Amino acid sequence: MIEIIKIEFKDMPSNIVNEIEDERVFEYYQVNQGTHIIGYFIAYDNEFHLAHKYIYPVKDAFVVVKDKSVVKAIRTHFGKPLQVMIDSDQTEIISMLDQIGFILKRKCFEREFDVTLWINPAHPKVNIKNSNQGTNAYDQSVIMAFDHYVKTHQDVSPLTATKEQFKRILPKQVVCQISGDQILNLVFIDKNEVCYFASKHEAQFESFAHAVIRLMFEQYPTITFEVDSTDELGLKFK
């Protein structure tokens, strides 16, 4: 019989401890089979996605986790699906995940663009407007961005945070394309970083995106952004 036991950080083996940057954010577990310790693993919660339990991908911990019976025991212990976030260059752990039945649900792309490499194709002119926290346009944008985030994560890892929790992580500036009193397209930006998107007029979103990029390159030599493969709208920036 496989038993999952929560332990303290100080009780973890040194080869695993050395791979951890901040021990405060994790939970630590020992895996027993009968009277024998067969391994350890690390887990954590994401307050935005509490429907899943996250397993932290430390290679030496996966020596035990790569056993399908152990994975089943861990899932049963937490009573929810397991999820792993991992860099694409961690090929050995990814291979282990494939072998024990984990399924790739999404990819996350991180990009940095240099103004000298930007290809600026011709697009219809789009008028854009900056709005800051406390304005009506900002509040409308929060609702749109929240709804878009819910939609693009529903089939992979459903959002469990409230709208107010979501609002707290948003930058204080949003760039919008507005027609009358309706926001057609929007993107939240934090200095040179493109953050969250939403659209009610996707046919114009690409033109809108280029207008935003042009505006940002007037202020910064590089632009960074992160987008999930499940977000077809955000991928237009990719």
Side-chain angles (χ1 to χ4, degrees), residues 113-123 206 210 213-214 217:
F113 295 103
D114 187 302
V115 64
T116 61
L117 301 177
W118 180 42
I119 300 174
N120 184 14
H123 281 279
E206 192 166 339
H210 278 274
I213 291 171
R214 188 178 301 110
F217 273 142

Side-chain angles (χ1 to χ4, degrees), residues 154-210:
Q154 187 62 39
D155 294 335
V156 176
S157 185
L159 180 67
T160 56
T162 65
K163 195 173 297 181
E164 284 303 312
Q165 287 175 300
F166 182 79
K167 183 177 180 178
R168 288 198 289 269
I169 67 168
L170 292 174
K172 296 180 180 179
Q173 182 182 6
V174 63
V175 182
C176 305
Q177 177 190 0
I178 301 176
S179 178
D181 60 353
Q182 184 179 33
I183 297 175
L184 302 182
N185 293 293
L186 68 91
V187 58
F188 284 86
I189 59 175
D190 183 10
K191 297 180 181 178
N192 72 324
E193 182 180 1
V194 176
C195 299
Y196 295 89
F197 330 87
S199 177
K200 289 184 178 178
H201 199 308
E202 292 191 22
Q204 290 189 13
F205 187 82
E206 192 166 339
S207 296
F208 164 75
H210 278 274

Side-chain angles (χ1 to χ4, degrees), residues 95-150:
S95 178
M96 291 181 186
L97 291 171
D98 288 337
Q99 292 171 23
I100 57 180
F102 277 83
I103 300 171
L104 177 63
K105 290 286 189 176
R106 66 173 174 175
K107 295 181 180 179
C108 182
F109 301 98
E110 295 179 354
R111 293 288 188 269
E112 181 176 69
F113 295 103
D114 187 302
V115 64
T116 61
L117 301 177
W118 180 42
I119 300 174
N120 184 14
H123 281 279
K125 183 177 180 180
V126 173
N127 293 321
I128 57 177
K129 177 183 178 181
N130 277 303
S131 294
N132 294 320
Q133 196 173 43
T135 63
N136 183 57
Y138 185 94
D139 291 340
Q140 288 185 53
S141 298
V142 169
I143 295 171
M144 288 177 61
F146 177 82
D147 291 343
H148 180 74
Y149 191 95
V150 169

Side-chain angles (χ1 to χ4, degrees), residues 7-14 16-17 28-29 40-42:
I7 62 175
E8 299 293 329
F9 174 72
K10 63 182 177 59
D11 297 321
M12 293 289 286
S14 59
I16 296 178
V17 166
Y28 305 93
Y29 294 88
Y40 303 84
F41 71 93
I42 304 164

Side-chain angles (χ1 to χ4, degrees), residues 40-66:
Y40 303 84
F41 71 93
I42 304 164
Y44 64 99
D45 291 314
N46 180 335
E47 66 174 352
F48 274 45
H49 302 278
L50 292 173
H52 292 179
K53 192 71 175 185
Y54 289 73
I55 305 299
Y56 188 68
V58 175
K59 179 182 173 183
D60 286 341
F62 271 82
V63 171
V64 61
V65 177
K66 71 178 182 179

